Amino acid sequence: MEFWKQLEILVFLLYASIGPCHVHKYCKNFRQNQNLVGQINVLASKKGVSLSQFVLVWILAQGPEFIVIPDTKRLAYLEQNINAGQITLAKDEVAEMKALLDTSKFMGARSYEEEVSLLDETSK
């Protein structure tokens, strides 16, 4: 994320909650990433907020160049996302999340190019 800050580029992040997998190829990644989600949920619980709120606030804590666009289908979740704007994270909470992400192994695509290649493979 430091790269974006150095270039002074505004970063938009589309945020979709982690839901059930619908494409078999992605189910393995989904299940393997659930451990990380569980660990993030522990951090959210310690803060007394929902998992989604914690993630949204953490992204915003990365700097003013980050804007999140959360996805939701339910009014209650929309209200929860809006209320996340009233939450602040202490420096140690931001650092704890960063340390967790820095030491975790993610499964699945992490860039546009990877997503496109995975989509191309599933259409064959």
Side-chain angles (χ1 to χ4, degrees):
M1 289 189 206
E2 289 301 317
F3 171 78
W4 300 107
K5 290 180 182 180
Q6 289 172 3
L7 294 178
E8 297 181 3
I9 294 175
L10 187 62
V11 178
F12 290 87
L13 295 174
L14 298 175
Y15 173 78
S17 60
I18 300 173
C21 51
H22 297 288
V23 179
H24 178 70
K25 185 173 232 172
Y26 299 115
C27 290
K28 179 180 176 186
N29 295 338
F30 176 82
R31 285 189 290 276
Q32 290 185 351
N33 288 331
Q34 283 302 300
N35 182 46
L36 175 59
V37 172
Q39 292 175 45
I40 296 170
N41 201 34
V42 168
L43 298 178
S45 295
K46 286 192 328 190
K47 181 71 175 173
V49 299
S50 73
L51 173 64
S52 295
Q53 287 177 317
F54 188 85
V55 171
L56 290 171
V57 173
W58 183 81
I59 292 169
L60 292 173
Q62 302 312 297
E65 59 278 338
F66 287 85
I67 297 173
V68 293
I69 304 170
D71 177 36
T72 186
K73 294 180 184 176
R74 295 182 176 82
L75 180 58
Y77 295 144
L78 175 61
E79 291 169 348
Q80 191 178 76
N81 292 341
I82 291 169
N83 291 333
Q86 305 303 313
I87 300 166
T88 57
L89 297 179
K91 287 182 181 180
D92 63 320
E93 293 169 320
V94 173
E96 192 172 4
M97 175 71 159
K98 182 178 181 334
L100 174 62
L101 295 175
D102 287 347
T103 59
S104 296
K105 182 177 180 188
F106 298 99
M107 299 300 295
R110 294 289 164 244
S111 72
Y112 175 76
E113 290 79 17
E114 289 176 299
E115 282 295 326
V116 169
S117 70
L118 288 172
L119 290 173
D120 286 344
E121 288 177 26
T122 58
S123 64
K124 290 180 182 176

